[in-house]
């Protein structure tokens, strides 16, 4: 069975731009690339080369420069190609849990009138950009001849009236914008009332000092929080309540790229000459260059991407405070590019993010030490041992208790269960003793087979015929159980299969029984969490009984094995349409 990789691809068909914004991050690079490649050639070549390596973009967006600077035929050609790509690969992409959209462009809206027929024809979604307050737009966002642009852009927004697809704008906020916060509020109300822009579907971005030519300066973290709270004070409970509690600040939630542990595994920007960078932030920066699609293999590019992001995070190090933060599992310490710009080891919007997480009710991690350790294992392996979760005990350790009681061995042994998911094997260990965390991805098409050592039914059991495989399925969402008020994963299912049934199955692994559990799990996919890893545990009914008997008789064991100790695997269920 083929293993596919899905990526988010930004394509830059031109770096030319019809404007000369005074703080443009591309500075003097907003001119046509010197290359003999035609606009569509590079995208076609890249997609074909990726696909041959089973790599498929689930999203292809156009960025620049300014994509509306393209000649009409070039613009329509690349839009049509993307539209046809989505139609051709709809089933493959959606069957792996990704949604198919329509062609999408990021634009300054200044010349969108040139291509409005193509935009309507292919249902192109629009993400435009403005400066707020609007008074600063005309000051900073000017033409190559230093002319004002706002009036034409507002007029062009009227052309989007008949578009059924999304037409949204975003605004980047620097200190200079923040100082005019009252104007920003009034201009949002004006845009909502006087244009067809959906101001509930709007994004704020927080500017950072990079190629801003000293014109603009970043907000402090406390100013970011004040800005966030002021927007809520002004718009909560209004017709823009949905926006201020949703899209406006979604960039700082788990919906965006910074939620990736290593964004080099998913996000790529392709220029017309074949150069590949991390994203628009890393564009033209050698530290975020992944290779050239014409010169490098796909495998080299993918490997280089993860390597460059790993290096970027490690150049600035890890803030020990992050190891104690209950939101590390969402934040992942922030954008590696911006961290390197500021030479700091945490997100530049850390306090703002924490305010958002609290307001939106994101759950605090109850296992922060473990989360930090696993994050460091992937992104800062050179220091992970410094953060290994440890407890100071004045009683026997769990390892010592297991060593002294041979009947506990198979509850914790890593040679009892092996899970095979679509041909990939995972040796299962106890969740409370393992040092490495495996996470798998399941769909309705996944084939899931469990191997179990063929003498496991005899372990702590005098009558194996009465023994059974015991499976426990837990959802990734948390609830509070019992008088003790302990918060843990929600139980979804337990399932038992007796030895006599399992022994009848043919097994292709010597010394192990085999049972196909695909259909058993499918029955409960709708009950599982789609945003957090779910948990599947395996043991036998005899071993489970012995575990609880040991807990009852040995307080030291009870304290250390209060969570389910059995062999497990964590997994996500990919949604299908």
């Amino acid at each position: 069975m083929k293993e596919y990789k899905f990526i988010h691809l930004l394509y830059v068909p031109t770096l030319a731009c019809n404007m000369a914004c005074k703080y443009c991050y591309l500075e003097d690079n907003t001119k046509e690339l010197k290359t003999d490649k035609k606009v569509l050639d590079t995208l076609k070549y890249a997609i074909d080369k990726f696909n041959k390596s089973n790599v498929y973009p689930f999203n292809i967006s156009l960025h620049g420069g300014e994509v509306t600077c393209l000649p009409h035929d070039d613009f329509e050609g690349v839009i049509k190609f993307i539209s046809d790509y989505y139609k051709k690969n709809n089933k493959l992409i959606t069957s792996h849990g990704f949604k198919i959209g329509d062609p999408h462009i990021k634009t300054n809206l200044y010349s969108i009138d040139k291509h409005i027929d193509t935009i309507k024809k292919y249902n192109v979604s629009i993400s435009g950009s403005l400066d707020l307050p609007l008074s600063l737009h005309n000051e900073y966002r000017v033409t190559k001849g230093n002319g004002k642009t706002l009036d034409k852009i507002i007029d062009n927004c009227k052309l989007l009236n008949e578009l059924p697809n999304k037409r949204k704008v975003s605004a980047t906020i620097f200190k200079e914008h923040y100082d005019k916060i009252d104007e920003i509020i009034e201009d949002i109300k004006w845009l909502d009332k006087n244009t067809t822009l959906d101001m509930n579907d709007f994004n704020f971005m927080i500017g950072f000092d990079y190629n801003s030519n000293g014109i603009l300066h970043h907000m402090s973290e406390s100013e970011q929080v004040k800005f966030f709270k002021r927007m809520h004070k002004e718009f909560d409970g209004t017709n823009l309540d949905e926006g201020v509690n949703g899209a406006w600040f979604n960039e700082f939630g788990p919906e965006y790229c910074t939620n990736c542990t290593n964004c080099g595994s998913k996000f790529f920007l392709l220029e017309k000459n074949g150069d590949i960078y991390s994203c628009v932030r890393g564009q033209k920066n050698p530290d975020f260059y992944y290779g050239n699609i014409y010169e490098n293999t796909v495998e080299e590019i993918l490997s280089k991407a993860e390597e460059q992001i790993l290096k970027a995070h490690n150049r600035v190090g890890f803030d020990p405070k992050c190891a104690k933060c209950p939101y590390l599992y969402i934040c992942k310490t922030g954008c590696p590019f911006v961290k390197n710009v500021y030479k700091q080891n945490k997100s530049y919007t850390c306090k703002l993010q924490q305010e958002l997480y609290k307001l939106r009710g994101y759950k605090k991690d109850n296992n922060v030490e473990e989360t930090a350790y696993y994050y460091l294992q992937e992104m800062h392996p050179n220091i992970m041992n410094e953060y290994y979760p440890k407890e100071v005990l004045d009683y026997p350790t769990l390892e010592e208790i297991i060593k002294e009681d041979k009947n506990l061995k198979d509850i914790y042994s890593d040679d009892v269960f092996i899970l095979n998911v679509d041909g990939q094997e995972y040796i299962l260990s106890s969740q409370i003793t393992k040092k490495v965390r495996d996470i798998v991805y399941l769909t309705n098409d996944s084939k899931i087979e469990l191997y179990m050592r063929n003498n496991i039914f005899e372990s702590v059991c005098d009558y194996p015929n009465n023994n059974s495989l015991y499976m426990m399925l837990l959802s990734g969402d948390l609830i509070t159980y019992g008088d003790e008020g302990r918060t843990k994963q929600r139980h979804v299912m337990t399932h038992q299969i007796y030895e006599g049934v399992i022994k009848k199955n043919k097994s292709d692994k010597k010394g192990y029984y085999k049972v196909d559990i695909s259909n058993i799990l499918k029955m409960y996919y709708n009950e599982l969490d789609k945003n957090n890893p779910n948990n599947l545990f395996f043991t036998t009914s005899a071993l489970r009984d012995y575990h609880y008997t040991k807990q009852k008789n040995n307080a030291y064991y009870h304290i250390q094995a209060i969570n389910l100790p059995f062999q497990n695997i964590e997994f996500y269920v990919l949604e299908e349409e």
Side-chain angles (χ1 to χ4, degrees), residues 90-144:
N90 185 298
K91 184 176 180 180
L92 173 66
I93 294 172
T94 57
S95 69
H96 284 80
F98 299 96
K99 294 182 179 179
I100 287 284
D102 295 297
H104 178 80
I105 64 171
K106 179 71 176 177
T107 173
N108 59 30
L109 297 170
Y110 189 73
S111 297
I112 203 167
D113 52 314
K114 290 170 49 181
H115 301 291
I116 196 66
D117 56 339
T118 299
I119 290 169
K120 290 180 179 179
K121 181 178 179 180
Y122 292 97
N123 202 27
V124 178
S125 64
I126 306 295
S127 180
S129 52
L130 294 168
D131 263 19
L132 291 178
L134 297 176
S135 62
L136 292 185
H137 180 102
N138 270 335
E139 182 175 343
Y140 297 137
R141 299 177 70 83
V142 296
T143 66
K144 298 286 188 184

Side-chain angles (χ1 to χ4, degrees), residues 371-419:
T371 299
Y373 177 75
Y374 288 128
Y375 169 78
L376 292 167
Q377 190 176 59
E378 291 192 57
M379 299 307 297
H380 297 273
N382 58 316
I383 62 170
M384 67 178 189
N385 288 336
E386 299 174 24
Y387 291 86
Y388 184 76
K390 296 177 182 178
E391 294 180 350
V392 178
L393 304 177
D394 56 359
Y395 45 80
T397 66
L398 179 60
E399 290 75 13
E400 291 170 340
I401 294 173
I402 295 171
K403 186 176 180 180
E404 291 178 2
D405 185 345
K406 64 180 181 180
N407 289 331
L408 290 174
K409 179 179 180 297
D410 286 333
I411 295 174
Y412 297 91
S413 177
D414 58 6
D415 68 350
V416 175
F417 296 106
I418 300 171
L419 196 68

Side-chain angles (χ1 to χ4, degrees), residues 438-491:
D438 283 322
I439 296 182
V440 299
Y441 296 85
L442 305 181
T443 71
N444 275 324
D445 295 326
S446 294
K447 187 172 182 62
I448 308 156
E449 297 174 314
L450 179 70
Y451 293 94
M452 64 208 76
R453 204 179 66 216
N454 58 16
N455 64 350
I456 190 60
F457 292 108
E458 301 167 14
S459 184
V460 299
C461 182
D462 295 329
Y463 303 101
N465 287 334
N466 291 335
N467 204 356
S468 63
L469 168 67
Y470 198 100
M471 295 186 290
M472 292 156 282
L473 179 62
L474 280 65
S475 173
D477 58 305
L478 305 178
I479 63 173
T480 300
Y481 281 93
D483 291 342
E484 62 190 3
R486 186 157 59 100
T487 300
K488 55 183 180 179
Q489 290 183 303
R490 179 171 61 86
H491 285 259

Side-chain angles (χ1 to χ4, degrees), residues 329-566:
Y329 78 101
I330 304 176
C331 170
K332 308 294 177 65
T333 75
C335 173
F337 181 82
V338 184
K339 289 201 299 183
N340 276 260
V341 169
Y342 285 145
K343 294 181 172 55
Q344 67 180 31
N345 50 17
K346 66 174 184 176
S347 173
Y348 75 116
T349 56
C350 176
K351 291 182 179 179
L352 169 57
Q353 288 171 250
Q354 291 189 28
E355 288 294 326
L356 181 142
Y357 301 152
K358 294 173 187 175
L359 183 65
R360 297 192 178 181
Y362 288 106
K363 297 166 185 169
K364 289 187 176 183
D365 187 356
N366 292 322
N367 299 295
V368 290
E369 289 187 359
E370 181 181 341
T371 299
Y373 177 75
Y374 288 128
Y375 169 78
L376 292 167
Q377 190 176 59
E378 291 192 57
M379 299 307 297
H380 297 273
N382 58 316
I383 62 170
M384 67 178 189
N385 288 336
E386 299 174 24
Y387 291 86
Y388 184 76
K390 296 177 182 178
E391 294 180 350
V392 178
L393 304 177
D394 56 359
Y395 45 80
T397 66
L398 179 60
E399 290 75 13
E400 291 170 340
I401 294 173
I402 295 171
K403 186 176 180 180
E404 291 178 2
D405 185 345
K406 64 180 181 180
N407 289 331
L408 290 174
K409 179 179 180 297
D410 286 333
I411 295 174
Y412 297 91
S413 177
D414 58 6
D415 68 350
V416 175
F417 296 106
I418 300 171
L419 196 68
N420 188 303
V421 178
D422 296 328
Q424 176 70 44
E425 287 192 351
Y426 300 88
I427 297 174
L428 304 187
S429 302
S430 166
Q431 74 155 352
I432 64 175
T433 61
K434 66 174 63 176
K435 300 296 189 293
V436 178
R437 181 185 190 189
D438 283 322
I439 296 182
V440 299
Y441 296 85
L442 305 181
T443 71
N444 275 324
D445 295 326
S446 294
K447 187 172 182 62
I448 308 156
E449 297 174 314
L450 179 70
Y451 293 94
M452 64 208 76
R453 204 179 66 216
N454 58 16
N455 64 350
I456 190 60
F457 292 108
E458 301 167 14
S459 184
V460 299
C461 182
D462 295 329
Y463 303 101
N465 287 334
N466 291 335
N467 204 356
S468 63
L469 168 67
Y470 198 100
M471 295 186 290
M472 292 156 282
L473 179 62
L474 280 65
S475 173
D477 58 305
L478 305 178
I479 63 173
T480 300
Y481 281 93
D483 291 342
E484 62 190 3
R486 186 157 59 100
T487 300
K488 55 183 180 179
Q489 290 183 303
R490 179 171 61 86
H491 285 259
V492 174
M493 171 275 285
T494 59
H495 191 94
Q496 291 175 260
I497 309 175
Y498 282 82
E499 183 216 30
V501 176
I502 291 175
K503 287 174 66 174
K504 294 178 182 179
N505 298 331
K506 291 183 179 180
S507 176
D508 53 355
K509 190 180 294 293
K510 186 178 180 180
Y512 285 81
Y513 295 136
K514 181 174 78 170
V515 60
D516 190 325
I517 61 173
S518 307
N519 290 329
I520 296 172
L521 294 181
K522 286 179 188 177
M523 294 170 59
Y524 301 96
Y525 282 172
N526 290 336
E527 296 294 327
L528 299 178
D529 197 299
K530 301 301 187 296
N531 300 310
N532 297 300
N534 305 284
N535 226 326
L536 182 60
F537 293 87
F538 301 95
T539 189
T540 68
S541 52
L543 288 170
R544 177 180 180 274
D545 290 345
Y546 190 85
H547 160 70
Y548 285 111
T549 298
K550 187 72 175 182
Q551 276 196 338
K552 181 179 179 181
N553 295 332
N554 189 316
Y556 297 146
Y557 177 78
H558 186 98
I559 290 171
Q560 297 175 80
I562 190 169
N563 292 319
L564 292 177
F566 312 115

Side-chain angles (χ1 to χ4, degrees), residues 138-172:
N138 270 335
E139 182 175 343
Y140 297 137
R141 299 177 70 83
V142 296
T143 66
K144 298 286 188 184
N146 205 36
K148 296 181 178 181
T149 63
L150 181 60
D151 289 344
K152 184 177 180 181
I153 288 173
I154 295 298
D155 283 342
N156 280 346
C157 287
K158 298 175 184 177
L159 299 174
L160 308 179
N161 289 5
E162 299 175 3
L163 297 184
N165 216 329
K166 290 185 176 182
R167 46 191 186 274
K168 63 184 292 185
V169 291
S170 61
T172 302

Side-chain angles (χ1 to χ4, degrees), residues 36-93:
D36 59 353
K37 308 299 181 185
K38 294 182 179 179
V39 166
L40 195 49
D41 289 348
T42 297
L43 183 58
K44 280 185 174 180
Y45 180 86
I47 294 298
D48 182 64
K49 191 168 182 177
F50 276 128
N51 291 172
K52 286 178 178 176
S53 293
N54 292 329
V55 178
Y56 284 80
F58 63 86
N59 185 297
I60 305 174
S61 299
L62 297 183
H63 213 285
E66 172 53 43
V67 297
T68 60
C69 286
L70 289 171
H72 182 276
D73 290 347
D74 285 342
F75 182 84
E76 181 165 6
V78 73
I79 291 293
K80 182 180 185 302
F81 174 81
I82 295 171
S83 180
D84 290 345
Y85 168 85
Y86 285 151
K87 292 175 184 176
K88 177 183 176 182
N89 296 288
N90 185 298
K91 184 176 180 180
L92 173 66
I93 294 172

